Amino acid sequence: MSYGPRMGIAGPEGQQRTDAGLEAVARMESLPELDLSGQKGISDAGLKQLGGISTLVVLKLSMADFGPPGAGTSGKSRITDEGIAHLASLKNMKRLDISGIDITDDGLAKLQGLTSLEWLSIHTCPKLTTAGIAAIRAALPNCSLSTDEDRPPD
């Protein structure tokens, strides 16, 4: 499903994007989809800039390697609970992939106000607990949640 023009912050293979590159992105008048998957140069400061893009409907921030369930990805992302909190202003968000980000239950709880959210992926987020996942499920009953528990065994 496409929500309109999309942007991937891509460059030559192996080149990572940084928060500085998101300054121009944040000034765009309309940006329905943004794929920053694997961009380890993005931090909380970059997400703060994205928090003002009211037209953003799909955001991919996955840092996941999708190894064995529960393997974790500690140290691969510079995004924390503080950065995730900046996404709470994106009230039109429908699809969000934060797989592989070392957020905690407190960070996940910041997304409970995104009532338009239809799909949320939180694979390989090793600091999330069963209680935190249950809380987001309860807060967003119309949102399909994709977790490590949903993956078939290897």
Side-chain angles (χ1 to χ4, degrees), residues 35-110:
D35 187 350
L36 295 170
S37 299
Q39 298 299 317
K40 297 175 184 107
I42 305 299
S43 73
D44 295 343
L47 294 191
K48 183 177 182 179
Q49 295 177 67
L50 296 182
I53 305 176
S54 63
T55 59
L56 201 53
V57 177
V58 177
L59 179 58
K60 298 176 184 176
L61 294 171
S62 176
M63 299 294 161
D65 288 336
F66 291 104
T73 57
S74 183
K76 294 185 179 180
S77 172
R78 296 173 44 216
I79 298 171
T80 68
D81 291 349
E82 183 181 330
I84 295 299
H86 296 303
L87 303 180
S89 63
L90 300 173
K91 300 299 183 188
N92 293 318
M93 183 70 60
K94 294 194 180 302
R95 299 180 61 80
L96 178 60
D97 185 350
I98 54 173
S99 299
I101 294 176
D102 282 342
I103 62 166
T104 67
D105 293 345
D106 290 338
L108 190 60
K110 305 286 187 208

Side-chain angles (χ1 to χ4, degrees), residues 9 11 16 23 38 59 63 81 93 109 115 117 141-142 146 148:
I9 304 297
Q16 293 292 307
E23 290 177 22
L59 179 58
M63 299 294 161
D81 291 349
M93 183 70 60
T115 56
L117 207 57
N142 297 320
S146 183
D148 289 330

Side-chain angles (χ1 to χ4, degrees), residues 125-145:
C125 292
K127 295 179 182 176
L128 293 180
T129 68
T130 303
I133 294 170
I136 197 77
R137 280 189 201 276
L140 300 173
N142 297 320
C143 179
S144 175
L145 198 61

